[in-house]
Amino acid sequence: MKILTAAILDGYQRRKDKSVSLRFITQEKTSGEIADIDRLVDTFGIVYFRGQERINQDEVDELDAVELDLYDQPKSQSQRLRNVLFKVWKQDEQGEFKEFYKHETERIIQHYKNKLDI
């Protein structure tokens, strides 16, 4: 399911996690169009906004072809690991996080290097 509609970018709000909340206003919608919007609430997707110009079929086809699973994780695996290690360090907060992070990542690397048949 997708929504393709004309809209005015009404504003935005910066969020503390560095993301941005966008606010659009459309022209009047039918009950069916509103039901489609309701069904898409809290789903992950792509927003493509272009001022004044008409969108052509090639652009619609290109947007439909975008692989969303590439973008559905807001953080990389390395960012997630660093965040978890930070929370573990925060529980005891002994020494500097930089040193703790280096020690723990070296320990993880060594663990997997030991599994290699070299």
Side-chain angles (χ1 to χ4, degrees):
M1 177 174 287
K2 63 184 174 183
I3 298 171
L4 180 59
T5 187
I8 296 171
L9 178 57
D10 184 55
Y12 69 95
Q13 182 176 3
R14 292 178 185 208
R15 300 170 60 127
K16 66 181 177 182
D17 66 355
K18 306 286 186 199
S19 64
V20 177
S21 173
L22 301 173
R23 191 173 50 250
F24 291 94
I25 297 176
T26 68
Q27 296 176 333
E28 293 178 3
K29 295 291 176 199
T30 66
S31 297
E33 290 169 323
I34 292 171
D36 289 344
I37 293 169
D38 284 340
R39 279 192 285 280
L40 289 172
V41 169
D42 290 329
T43 60
F44 185 81
I46 293 176
V47 173
Y48 173 73
F49 182 74
R50 198 169 122 172
Q52 299 298 321
E53 303 159 19
R54 286 184 116 71
I55 190 168
N56 62 46
Q57 189 58 46
D58 289 340
E59 290 171 315
V60 172
D61 294 342
E62 186 176 342
L63 290 170
D64 285 342
V66 171
E67 293 291 330
L68 290 177
D69 62 343
L70 298 176
Y71 306 101
D72 62 357
Q73 290 294 328
K75 294 182 181 175
S76 70
Q77 293 299 99
S78 60
Q79 288 171 318
R80 292 181 63 215
L81 177 60
R82 184 178 180 89
N83 290 344
V84 168
L85 288 175
F86 181 78
K87 287 190 175 199
V88 169
W89 171 78
K90 205 64 171 148
Q91 289 177 350
D92 295 327
E93 227 171 305
Q94 293 181 5
E96 293 291 320
F97 174 69
K98 182 178 176 180
E99 293 303 317
F100 174 79
Y101 179 76
K102 184 176 180 179
H103 176 267
E104 288 300 308
T105 53
E106 280 301 320
R107 187 177 63 77
I108 293 167
I109 290 166
Q110 193 59 49
H111 169 79
Y112 284 100
K113 281 174 72 174
N114 291 341
K115 291 182 174 234
L116 296 174
D117 294 328
I118 309 178

